[in-house]
Amino acid sequence: MKIFSCISNQLTSCPTRKFIRSNELRRCRQQTSRRLISASAMPVFRKQMGDDSEEEISEDELYQYTRYRCNETENLAMRYRKFRISALIDAAAKATGDCATSCVKLIKCTEGQYNKAFLMTMDNGAQILAKIPNPNAGPAFYTTASEVATRDFLRTVLDIPVPRIYAYSLDPLNPVGAEYIIEEKAEGQPLGTLWHHWRTESKADLVTQLVDLEIKLTSVSFRKHGCIYYKEDLENRGLPVQNLETASPSYNDPARQVDSVSVERYALGPLTEARLWEGERAAMKLDRGSTPLSYMAGMGINEIQWAKAYAKPKLNAYRSIETPVSPDDYISLLNRYLQVAPHLSPGPFRTSLSHPDLHLDNIFVDPDTKKITCIIDWQSASVSEPFLQHRIPRMLLPVDRRSSNGRVETMAEDFDPGEGSNETADLLSRYRNLSKLKNEPRWAAVNLHNRGLLTEPVSLLCGAWSRNDVFSFRHALIHLASRWKEIAPATTPCPIQFTEHELQLHNSELELVEGLGEVLYQLQINDLIPLGGMVPREGYEQALHVNNVVREMFVDMAQSESQKTLYSRIWPYQDRDA
């Protein structure tokens, strides 16, 4: 039985060893029986603060999202997750495998956007991390199943240091009441706590380590888009299984061959990106991973399916506060996208794994040797072509080029290094030079001429109607059509056109969007309100005051009462609980 896993089954005939083992068995049985008693005794609940100090919290705060505030009802509901603490503690105690019976302290780690993480200190001194996905993380089963298998693949096939997973559950009906992952505490310290104190030479060495990490990620290539899973997990759900079809590109390591046995237990399955599963999409049969060319078209076909079934007329305050916009306008844009989609894939490129967000706190290092000890946060990591991956690790971008929710802003990677400090520019140059020298095929793919022009439409179309941002998708298509000669042979005419009326309406909208965007950008660079409007809770009241003042100033710029109403409607930071 699992409760006796701490007892060796290799007993010898030696009386002394039998006596020792007998004592150990008795002790573990006593501890196991005490587990039923201690399970009802809750540990101390604390949360990790921004300065790494701790603060005692109530049980209910474990379930809530408390790091940032913005549009309270919607954002907090998407990040609230109730579960059974006693069952999670019991699962963690069993996962340690060394006779831990209870948890004496539970720390809610600094919150990300998509998960709750808890560092548990057990009664035997062991520390273990438990992670539970928020509702906004994506499809619960696929998200958890893919992360578990991907991290195992990274450890065993690519030799990339990631925390070892002790236990996991894909069933929300388990005793915990939520999917979970229980893993070892990451070795080392988060780079974010050390980076700004390091000398430039140490930072340069870390950049070299990042390039070497990317070389490992591209050392195994695939033939399709998707996420990695265990075959067994997909088969147990009656889901289709696709073999990985891996290979080792000769440009990385000619001597290396992928061991077919080592990858046999893995499969390629659906992408877990949350926007592909939002709302009604979760129950729809959509294309969530395929060959490179059909991926570009598949995203458009998905959105047309959703729009025809579910999109309803809605107001676009940038155009009118009285007349709704028809979904037919959106579907027309999507059909035009499908006409250009075959020209947007510059391949053939084989797909590879990539980290979705390499920021400072996702990289752990040994503070003495300054070597990377662990890379965390592989949730939603997927297999894709390099030209669709991040060109530059987010940790190397200037702060004002990073979005408030941890995602790189569109086109932010194409900034001029002169915008940052001399050190930032030097580190970025080092990254570029080393990548070009040591990982040239990937570097060439992510630095394709007009890469942004090719990839922006597909990055913006999914959910554009739902998130009220058809403008950005339309703008990307208009931009693409105006520069068609730069991406297609001279003999290939642009397959899409926009009428004068469409362009006139769009340009009127563009004037408002750019004006508002400049105001919001100034709020960010002056450390008043981050882009996206999510602010630390302790700074919420001040941000709310600034928001109200600036919003009033923005509305006062209007030249008529109707324009004032419009300006008031398009202001993005509308706190619904205010």
Side-chain angles (χ1 to χ4, degrees):
M1 295 177 65
K2 290 183 179 179
I3 58 175
F4 301 125
S5 60
C6 56
I7 304 301
S8 170
N9 59 6
Q10 297 177 351
L11 298 178
T12 68
S13 59
C14 173
T16 302
R17 289 181 63 86
K18 284 184 178 180
F19 176 76
I20 293 173
R21 294 302 184 187
S22 178
N23 283 344
E24 289 177 356
L25 180 60
R26 186 180 301 110
R27 176 174 59 83
C28 282
R29 282 174 173 165
Q30 291 171 346
Q31 290 176 333
T32 301
S33 65
R34 287 200 301 270
R35 180 175 293 162
L36 297 175
I37 300 174
S38 61
S40 61
M42 288 292 101
V44 175
F45 298 141
R46 294 182 173 274
K47 72 175 178 180
Q48 186 179 24
M49 306 301 288
D51 58 0
D52 282 338
S53 63
E54 298 173 11
E55 180 181 284
E56 193 163 343
I57 58 174
S58 66
E59 177 182 330
D60 197 48
E61 287 183 82
L62 297 177
Y63 315 127
Q64 299 173 3
Y65 181 77
T66 58
R67 186 177 183 184
Y68 294 107
R69 291 183 66 179
C70 173
N71 292 344
E72 300 292 76
T73 303
E74 176 185 359
N75 281 280
L76 296 187
M78 289 193 303
R79 295 167 176 82
Y80 182 88
R81 189 71 187 268
K82 187 73 177 285
F83 56 93
R84 300 181 189 92
I85 297 174
S86 58
L88 185 66
I89 292 171
D90 190 48
K94 292 176 181 177
T96 59
D98 52 6
C99 297
T101 62
S102 64
C103 174
V104 295
K105 184 168 74 170
L106 185 148
I107 299 176
K108 184 181 184 182
C109 301
T110 301
E111 292 176 282
Q113 295 289 323
Y114 304 105
N115 299 280
K116 302 187 190 309
F118 306 97
L119 181 62
M120 301 182 187
T121 301
M122 312 307 287
D123 59 351
N124 64 349
Q127 287 192 310
I128 195 167
L129 194 78
K131 190 168 71 169
I132 291 177
N134 289 333
N136 67 330
F141 167 81
Y142 288 109
T143 299
T144 303
S146 176
E147 180 178 357
V148 170
T150 299
R151 284 168 53 179
D152 187 35
F153 184 88
L154 291 164
R155 285 178 61 89
T156 59
V157 179
L158 299 184
D159 193 29
I160 290 176
V162 297
R164 187 184 305 275
I165 293 175
Y166 295 132
Y168 70 98
S169 176
L170 308 177
D171 183 4
L173 300 180
N174 64 41
V176 176
E179 305 81 7
Y180 63 80
I181 294 175
I182 295 174
E183 61 189 76
E184 67 180 348
K185 180 185 177 184
E187 182 183 353
Q189 290 183 224
L191 185 57
T193 64
L194 304 167
W195 183 252
H196 301 294
H197 304 291
W198 280 7
R199 295 179 180 272
T200 301
E201 295 79 8
S202 298
K203 294 181 179 180
D205 180 67
L206 196 284
V207 169
T208 303
Q209 295 179 61
L210 282 182
V211 174
D212 291 339
L213 169 73
E214 289 178 341
I215 291 173
K216 285 186 175 182
L217 286 170
T218 55
S219 68
V220 173
S221 63
F222 308 79
R223 291 184 174 86
K224 296 182 180 180
H225 276 257
C227 288
I228 295 176
Y229 299 84
Y230 289 134
K231 285 183 181 178
E232 183 180 14
D233 286 339
L234 295 180
E235 290 170 344
N236 288 342
R237 296 269 296 206
L239 298 168
V241 172
Q242 297 185 55
N243 291 330
L244 286 187
E245 298 185 27
T246 59
S248 290
S250 60
Y251 56 76
N252 276 314
D253 186 353
R256 179 174 180 177
Q257 294 295 324
V258 178
D259 180 3
S260 59
V261 175
S262 67
V263 300
E264 188 176 355
R265 61 192 300 232
Y266 304 102
L268 207 61
L271 293 164
T272 63
E273 190 176 358
R275 63 180 185 161
L276 296 175
W277 300 85
E278 286 175 344
E280 302 91 351
R281 292 175 178 83
M284 296 179 70
K285 188 175 181 180
L286 302 177
D287 184 346
R288 299 184 178 94
S290 52
T291 61
L293 182 60
S294 63
Y295 169 81
M296 307 293 272
M299 296 301 102
I301 294 170
N302 288 347
E303 197 66 6
I304 289 175
Q305 283 184 247
W306 177 87
K308 287 182 175 180
Y310 298 104
K312 305 297 181 186
K314 63 166 59 179
L315 286 174
N316 175 2
Y318 286 91
R319 290 193 173 182
S320 171
I321 57 175
E322 297 175 351
T323 306
V325 179
S326 169
D328 291 342
D329 295 341
Y330 182 43
I331 294 171
S332 172
L333 291 174
L334 292 169
N335 282 323
R336 277 179 269 193
Y337 166 80
L338 287 182
Q339 290 180 271
V340 300
H343 304 276
L344 301 183
S345 180
F349 289 112
R350 293 182 65 95
T351 57
S352 64
L353 262 174
S354 64
H355 192 286
D357 190 16
L358 270 178
H359 62 70
L360 291 171
D361 290 332
N362 281 340
I363 302 169
F364 280 64
V365 297
D366 183 319
D368 297 323
T369 65
K370 298 181 173 57
K371 300 298 182 184
I372 293 176
T373 56
C374 219
I375 304 291
I376 67 169
D377 197 8
W378 293 91
Q379 187 180 74
S380 296
S382 64
V383 169
S384 63
E385 290 100 332
F387 71 88
L388 291 172
Q389 299 170 6
H390 289 314
R391 188 163 66 90
I392 300 168
R394 185 159 70 95
M395 59 165 288
L396 295 178
L397 293 172
V399 173
D400 65 354
R401 286 287 182 166
R402 308 169 192 168
S403 70
S404 60
N405 67 352
R407 302 294 183 190
V408 178
E409 293 292 333
T410 303
M411 303 305 291
E413 296 167 309
D414 296 323
F415 76 100
D416 180 350
E419 295 179 25
S421 66
N422 289 336
E423 183 182 70
T424 299
D426 289 344
L427 292 174
L428 182 57
S429 294
R430 180 178 181 83
Y431 172 80
R432 287 172 165 167
N433 292 336
L434 283 174
S435 294
K436 187 173 182 179
L437 177 67
K438 301 174 72 173
N439 202 8
E440 196 278 333
R442 180 184 186 276
W443 183 246
V446 298
N447 285 278
L448 285 169
H449 179 59
N450 290 327
R451 170 177 174 264
L453 196 64
L454 297 170
T455 59
E456 262 202 302
V458 72
S459 71
L460 294 168
L461 69 85
C462 186
W465 186 267
S466 306
R467 65 176 183 270
N468 298 315
D469 193 21
V470 174
F471 168 83
S472 294
F473 174 53
R474 186 193 318 115
H475 189 73
L477 286 179
I478 292 174
H479 193 212
L480 181 72
S482 68
R483 297 176 58 184
W484 184 256
K485 293 180 180 179
E486 299 178 34
I487 66 170
T491 55
T492 305
C494 182
I496 63 173
Q497 293 83 35
F498 290 87
T499 67
E500 287 297 323
H501 180 62
E502 285 179 311
L503 294 175
Q504 184 179 11
L505 287 175
H506 182 79
N507 288 334
S508 297
E509 198 171 339
L510 175 62
E511 186 177 348
L512 272 177
V513 170
E514 289 184 335
L516 179 59
E518 180 58 31
V519 174
L520 301 182
Y521 180 68
Q522 290 300 321
L523 288 174
Q524 157 128 332
I525 64 174
N526 286 290
D527 294 324
L528 296 172
I529 302 177
L531 288 174
M534 299 194 76
V535 298
R537 296 186 72 83
E538 60 272 16
Y540 178 74
E541 294 302 328
Q542 179 183 348
L544 182 61
H545 173 71
V546 170
N547 178 64
N548 291 338
V549 170
V550 177
R551 178 173 179 264
E552 186 175 341
M553 293 169 59
F554 179 73
V555 172
D556 286 343
M557 292 169 59
Q559 298 177 354
S560 66
E561 286 303 315
S562 62
Q563 198 175 56
K564 279 191 176 184
T565 303
L566 185 150
Y567 280 21
S568 179
R569 289 278 186 91
I570 66 175
W571 185 258
Y573 305 149
Q574 309 269 3
D575 193 277
R576 298 172 187 175
D577 290 348

